[in-house]
Every structure is written in structure tokens, then in C-alpha cells.
């Protein structure tokens, strides 16, 4: 494999703690790139266009989709979401590691289209705690929370597709598990310098 960039795909039911874990990764892995998705969902308070998402209208999204702009896209919780191809391709060309916060449908497309990556599923400790977190976050109305909880069950049933499972009960523990996966994955020979063996034995 010529390319050493690692694709890290994180999926979880809404409210399980993906964004929280990703913000910790941003702090500790400054060279890690983050794929910024396009969405037709309205911004939440504090979300910034171009940093959290590119917020677009449904017409714009569908036009981009029809122009093959996305590496993958899906309708999730009644809104469209998609990963722009250009950022993924750029990261891969530069050999950079890049993280994707996408749903299960998107994760399946990434595996099928790009045929690489480490696929990690984050579980909440229980559905009760998931509801609790969604309510406490105060970013969604009760109807949206109900829809996200209903979809959570279907998403959790798809967890077998993933390479690793993390239960985000205690945040510190879940984060340390996530970091361990990334560190271990990068130690696989396919992500190491191609001439490492020759370099080590050259003075023999
Ligand atoms: P997601 O990005 O998966 O939708 P968030 O990261 O926004 O989820 O987390 C949902 C809410 O739960 C947030 O208010 C966050 O602060 C909180 N949260 C995340 N992880 C934990 C945890 N381990 N224990 C308790 N609360 C958590
Ligand atoms: P939220 O609206 O809470 O930010 O995200 C809702 C869901 O959409 C989450 O499961 C998130 O992972 C998923 N999502 C965000 N961006 C993308 C994307 O580009 N593609 C896909 N398939 N899902 C996405």
C-alpha cells in the first residue's frame, strides 16, 4: 500500500458521545484531520459553518450529490448528510490520518468505496442513559429526541459491521480505549515506512 494515511470511521447513535470523544482527539492529536460533512440540518447554537459542518439547503445538497461531489451520503434523522470527496482524497494523497463522524449507512459506503479504514462503533451504556444525554444536551426538541432514540435501536443492531466496540459509560475510560485503537492501528506494518526492514538490517 503506497498510502500511509489511516481512515478512522466513528459511528454511534446520536447522543452516545461521539462529538465529545472527537473534541478530545482534536486536543491530543493536532495533526489528525477531521472530515467536515455537508448537511441540510439547521445549525445548533455554537455550531460554525465550515468548522462543524457546511450547512446547505436541500436543493444545494441534492445538486452536489448529483454531481458526484460526495464520497458517501445518507439521509439520517430526516436530514441529508454527506462527506465531500475532495478532503478525503487530499488527506489520502498527503498520507494524513483522517477521522469521519458518520452514520452506519455512510460507514458501509466508505468500506465499500475506499476499501480501507478502521471502523469503530460507540455504544451508550443504555437507552435510558442515551435519552438522558440527549435531553441534557438541550440541542433538540422532544420530537427530534424521540426520532433519534427510535433510530438508535436500528443503529445499534448494525454494530456487527464494525471492527471495534467501545461503551461510552465513563468518558475517560472510553477515550483511553479510543486512543489505544488508533495507536495500535498505526503500528500495523501497512502504516509503517515501507523500507523499515531494509533500514534496520542495512549495517549487518
Ligand atoms: P453525539 O456527538 O454522539 O451526538 P455528544 O458528544 O454531543 O454526542 O454527547 C451527548 C451529550 O452527552 C453531551 O451533552 C455530552 O456532554 C454528554 N456526554 C458525552 N459522553 C458522556 C459520558 N461518558 N458521560 C456522561 N455524559 C456524556
Ligand atoms: P448530528 O445531526 O447529531 O450532528 O448528526 C446526526 C448523525 O449524522 C450522526 O449519526 C452523524 O454521525 C451522522 N453524520 C454526520 N455527518 C455525516 C456524513 O457526512 N455522512 C453520513 N452518512 N452521516 C453523517
Amino acid at each position: 500500500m503506497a498510502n500511509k494515511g489511516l481512515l478512522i470511521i466513528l459511528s454511534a447513535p446520536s447522543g452516545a458521545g461521539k462529538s465529545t470523544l472527537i473534541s478530545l482527539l482534536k486536543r491530543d492529536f493536532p495533526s489528525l484531520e477531521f472530515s467536515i460533512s455537508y448537511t441540510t440540518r439547521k445549525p445548533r447554537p455554537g455550531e460554525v459553518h465550515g468548522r462543524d459542518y457546511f450547512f446547505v439547503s436541500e436543493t444545494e445538497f441534492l445538486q452536489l450529490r448529483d454531481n458526484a461531489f460526495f464520497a458517501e451520503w445518507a439521509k439520517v434523522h430526516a436530514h441529508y448528510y454527506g462527506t465531500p470527496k475532495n478532503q478525503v482524497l487530499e488527506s489520502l494523497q498527503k498520507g494524513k490520518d483522517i477521522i469521519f463522524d458518520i452514520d452506519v449507512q455512510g460507514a458501509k459506503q466508505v468500506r465499500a468505496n475506499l476499501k480501507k479504514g478502521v471502523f469503530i462503533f460507540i455504544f451508550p451504556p443504555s437507552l435510558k442513559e442515551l435519552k438522558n444525554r440527549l435531553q441534557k444536551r438541550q440541542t433538540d426538541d422532544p420530537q427530534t429526541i424521540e426520532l433519534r432514540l427510535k433510530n438508535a435501536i436500528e443503529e445499534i443492531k448494525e454494530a456487527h459491521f464494525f471492527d471495534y466496540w467501545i461503551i461510552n459509560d465513563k468518558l475517560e475510560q472510553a477515550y483511553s480505549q479510543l486512543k489505544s485503537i488508533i495507536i495500535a492501528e498505526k503500528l500495523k506494518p501497512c502504516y509503517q515506512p515501507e523500507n523499515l526492514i531494509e533500514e534496520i538490517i542495512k549495517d549487518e
Side-chain angles (χ1 to χ4, degrees), residues 9-102:
I9 294 88
L10 273 190
S11 289
S14 181
K18 243 176 317 128
S19 312
T20 308
L21 289 164
I22 287 177
S23 62
L24 294 173
L25 286 176
K26 281 185 179 164
R27 185 195 64 187
D28 293 346
F29 294 82
S31 64
L32 198 56
E33 305 219 332
F34 294 83
S35 166
I36 303 168
S37 298
Y38 281 62
T39 184
T40 59
R41 160 167 88 59
K42 295 277 163 285
R44 294 179 182 138
E47 283 185 328
V48 176
H49 180 83
R51 184 193 69 189
D52 300 292
Y53 279 108
F54 292 100
F55 297 97
V56 292
S57 69
E58 197 161 311
T59 315
E60 281 174 281
F61 188 98
L62 295 177
Q63 252 169 18
L64 290 167
R65 181 198 64 179
D66 295 344
N67 288 325
F69 178 78
F70 296 119
E72 64 74 34
W73 67 274
K75 199 163 192 182
V76 193
H77 314 315
H79 299 289
Y80 287 104
Y81 294 83
T83 302
K85 255 186 212 163
N86 54 1
Q87 205 197 347
V88 187
L89 295 178
E90 242 174 65
S91 295
L92 283 179
Q93 269 159 12
K94 287 189 279 179
K96 295 258 188 169
D97 301 331
I98 180 166
I99 188 150
F100 299 79
D101 168 351
I102 58 178

Side-chain angles (χ1 to χ4, degrees), residues 6 13 15 18 31 46 64 81 149 168 172 179 191 198 203:
L6 171 64
K18 243 176 317 128
S31 64
L64 290 167
Y81 294 83
L149 283 170
N168 180 20
E172 242 171 69
K179 269 204 308 197
Y191 295 109
E198 291 73 15
D203 297 330

Side-chain angles (χ1 to χ4, degrees), residues 64-192:
L64 290 167
R65 181 198 64 179
D66 295 344
N67 288 325
F69 178 78
F70 296 119
E72 64 74 34
W73 67 274
K75 199 163 192 182
V76 193
H77 314 315
H79 299 289
Y80 287 104
Y81 294 83
T83 302
K85 255 186 212 163
N86 54 1
Q87 205 197 347
V88 187
L89 295 178
E90 242 174 65
S91 295
L92 283 179
Q93 269 159 12
K94 287 189 279 179
K96 295 258 188 169
D97 301 331
I98 180 166
I99 188 150
F100 299 79
D101 168 351
I102 58 178
D103 87 317
V104 177
Q105 306 169 73
K108 287 184 172 171
Q109 292 174 54
V110 170
R111 175 111 81 186
N113 297 341
L114 302 174
K115 299 189 175 53
K116 60 183 288 192
V118 57
F119 293 76
I120 305 168
F121 192 84
I122 315 286
F123 287 87
S126 65
L127 289 179
K128 190 161 168 258
E129 172 61 11
L130 187 65
K131 186 172 185 175
N132 205 3
R133 288 184 191 171
L134 283 170
Q135 285 172 337
K136 268 209 199 141
R137 190 169 69 181
Q138 294 188 318
T139 54
D140 302 294
D141 57 49
Q143 215 183 341
T144 305
I145 291 181
E146 278 318 307
L147 176 65
R148 286 178 178 236
L149 283 170
K150 189 169 138 272
N151 291 343
I153 297 167
E154 297 313 311
E155 290 168 322
I156 289 169
K157 285 185 190 163
E158 298 281 338
H160 283 288
F161 168 80
F162 291 81
D163 303 319
Y164 292 97
W165 290 356
I166 294 176
I167 302 170
N168 180 20
D169 186 359
K170 299 269 174 284
L171 182 62
E172 242 171 69
Q173 189 186 13
Y175 180 55
S176 128
Q177 291 170 343
L178 177 59
K179 269 204 308 197
S180 307
I181 293 169
I182 295 175
I183 292 166
E185 204 65 22
K186 289 292 290 178
L187 295 175
K188 284 186 174 165
C190 63
Y191 295 109
Q192 303 267 358

